[in-house]
Amino acid sequence: MAEPAAPRAVEPGSVLRDEDWGGRDVVGEVFEGVELRDCDLTEITTRGARFDACTFRGVRLNASRHTGTAFVNCTFDRCVLFDTTFSGCKLTGSTFDACRLELLKVDGGDWSFVSLGGADLRQVSIVGARMREADLSGARCGDATLRDLDLAGASLGRIDLTGADLRGSDLSALDPLGARLRGAVLTIDQAVTVAEALGTVVRAE
């Protein structure tokens, strides 16, 4: 079977509608200010690509794999990212609005200043990522794996962490009174941080 053709060169500021990039391998491509509307990027693979201030509107990214790719200041609006994997990617300043994120996997990378407010992140896996000052307010993270995350300065108000695995993550920005933590998995040090945030005094003896 012939390999899928690489995407054509895209001029900065272009609007792409109803394009099918399914299964393509995008390596080192640069997209600036491009808007993709109702495009099919199912099973696409990107490596070292860069999307600057791009808009993904109604785009399907199911089972796509992204390695070392940057999505900086991008907007994802009503996109489907079912079983999508980001490894060592940079998504600083990007916004996810009304997106489907089932089985999303994130391994490392920089997700600082990302907006995921109110997102459904149940059962997703985000491990080892930098998420400084990210907006996770009102996010539903039940049974998610959120390990070894740098959440310094993150917005975590009204976050639902029921049953989430939080081991190794920075919880200094978490207000336990404004979060759901039933069944969450913590290390001893994290449990002390949460207890102290509630105003208790923790002593070894």
Side-chain angles (χ1 to χ4, degrees):
M1 181 181 295
E3 291 293 325
R8 68 178 187 278
V10 178
E11 293 294 324
S14 297
V15 178
L16 308 180
R17 295 180 176 86
D18 301 309
E19 295 213 358
D20 185 354
W21 291 9
R24 287 177 173 168
D25 192 8
V26 180
V27 181
E29 300 281 346
V30 177
F31 303 85
E32 298 179 358
V34 174
E35 181 172 348
L36 296 92
R37 296 183 183 175
D38 302 314
C39 295
D40 188 355
L41 276 61
T42 299
E43 296 186 350
I44 191 175
T45 299
T46 71
R47 288 177 287 141
R50 185 174 183 90
F51 296 83
D52 285 324
C54 292
T55 298
F56 299 80
R57 201 177 305 281
V59 173
R60 296 178 295 283
L61 287 149
N62 301 325
S64 59
R65 302 289 181 265
H66 310 276
T67 303
T69 292
F71 297 86
V72 178
N73 294 323
C74 290
T75 297
F76 296 84
D77 177 35
R78 297 176 291 104
C79 294
V80 182
L81 294 93
F82 177 82
D83 194 27
T84 297
T85 299
F86 295 94
S87 300
C89 293
K90 182 176 183 179
L91 282 91
T92 52
S94 290
T95 299
F96 292 81
D97 185 19
C99 293
R100 292 183 56 188
L101 303 167
E102 293 97 329
L103 300 182
L104 177 74
K105 302 178 188 69
V106 175
D107 181 12
D110 192 348
W111 288 58
S112 297
F113 304 101
V114 162
S115 178
L116 285 161
D120 186 349
L121 298 173
R122 289 174 292 182
Q123 299 183 333
V124 306
S125 176
I126 306 177
V127 178
R130 180 184 174 95
M131 300 188 75
R132 288 187 166 230
E133 298 190 50
D135 180 10
L136 291 163
S137 55
R140 291 166 287 166
C141 304
D143 297 317
T145 298
L146 305 173
R147 297 195 58 175
D148 302 315
L149 304 181
D150 182 353
L151 291 165
S155 297
L156 304 175
R158 299 175 290 103
I159 191 170
D160 184 353
L161 295 166
T162 303
D165 186 349
L166 304 171
R167 287 175 291 175
S169 293
D170 180 355
L171 300 181
S172 60
L174 179 68
D175 176 6
L177 293 176
R180 295 182 180 179
L181 289 166
R182 184 178 180 85
V185 181
L186 308 174
T187 64
I188 296 298
D189 289 344
Q190 289 173 312
V192 170
T193 297
V194 171
E196 290 179 340
L198 290 169
T200 63
V201 177
V202 179
R203 295 176 178 170
E205 296 181 358

